[in-house]
């Protein structure tokens, strides 16, 4: 009689976190968002506007990048893995409330499944903000379609929301820079089992 074998993976095993379709969706979306933020800065910060010049070209690049922003996600929806992850991001459970409470109390035990509550809130916020930016941007671009009052309000919302997005993206980038393993997951698609068990203990890949 052969002895039973241990089927558990060793601690050093790397596990799959993201598929190529998910990684490319994130990369292209991040690139387009970066172009939008960079061109917006060139349009609204006088020192950058003088340094870069060619305002008409910057406006066109900004408009094209903004219009293309939803495209990577729409194409990515053909991936079953991406649709599944969006479903995870759209669901909040008791463990998410516990995670937020742990962050507020600065306690180390923070229960999370594949995505923690912070990632879910960020994803929902940035998706809503992108749709608002797209809508207000179209109202500012096609000036003949809406009344002056609507365009004025759209400009106000667009400008201040752009500033807020820049701040939130800076925070998001800072958190990513502080977690090399998370960045590797987005770069290669795999993470170490030790990291997964520490940061996402409820995740069952």
């Amino acid at each position: 009689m052969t002895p039973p074998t241990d089927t558990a993976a060793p601690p050093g095993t790397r596990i799959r976190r993201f598929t190529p379709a998910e990684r490319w969706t994130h990369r292209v979306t991040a690139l387009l968002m970066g172009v939008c933020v960079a061109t917006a800065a060139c349009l609204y910060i006088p020192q950058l506007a003088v340094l870069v010049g060619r305002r008409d070209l910057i406006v066109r690049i900004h408009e094209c990048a903004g219009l293309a922003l939803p495209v990577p996600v729409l194409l990515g929806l053909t991936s079953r893995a991406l649709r599944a992850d969006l479903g995870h991001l759209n669901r909040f459970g008791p463990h998410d409330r516990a995670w937020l409470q742990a962050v507020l109390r600065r306690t180390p035990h923070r229960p999370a499944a594949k995505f923690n509550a912070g990632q879910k809130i960020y994803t929902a916020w940035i998706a809503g903000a992108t749709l608002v930016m797209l809508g207000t941007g179209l109202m500012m671009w096609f000036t003949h379609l809406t009344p002056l009052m609507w365009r004025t309000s759209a400009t106000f919302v667009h400008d201040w929301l752009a500033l807020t997005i820049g701040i939130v993206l800076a925070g998001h980038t800072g958190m990513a820079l502080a977690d090399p393993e998370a960045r590797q997951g987005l770069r290669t698609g795999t993470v170490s089992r030790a990291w997964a068990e520490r940061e996402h203990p409820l995740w069952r890949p």
Side-chain angles (χ1 to χ4, degrees), residues 4 9 24 45 64 85 92 108 112 127 143 150 157 159 192:
W24 277 106
I45 299 176
C64 291
D85 276 357
F92 278 75
T143 56
W150 288 22
V157 172
D159 291 351
S192 68

Side-chain angles (χ1 to χ4, degrees), residues 38-86:
T39 51
C42 292
L43 292 172
Y44 288 100
I45 299 176
Q47 293 83 351
L48 287 177
V50 172
L51 180 64
V52 176
R54 308 196 68 176
R55 181 178 177 84
D56 289 342
L57 176 61
I58 297 300
V59 169
R60 293 294 170 263
I61 294 174
H62 183 77
E63 291 170 343
C64 291
L67 287 174
L69 200 52
V71 173
V73 175
L74 293 176
L75 293 177
L77 289 176
T78 58
S79 165
R80 180 180 299 176
L82 179 61
R83 295 197 304 271
D85 276 357
L86 290 176

Side-chain angles (χ1 to χ4, degrees), residues 17 95-96 111-116 119-120 199-203:
R17 183 162 173 82
H95 61 279
D96 294 309
K114 185 171 185 179
F115 302 102
N116 61 46
Q119 292 168 325
K120 293 178 180 181
E199 300 293 334
H200 301 269
L202 303 180
W203 176 35

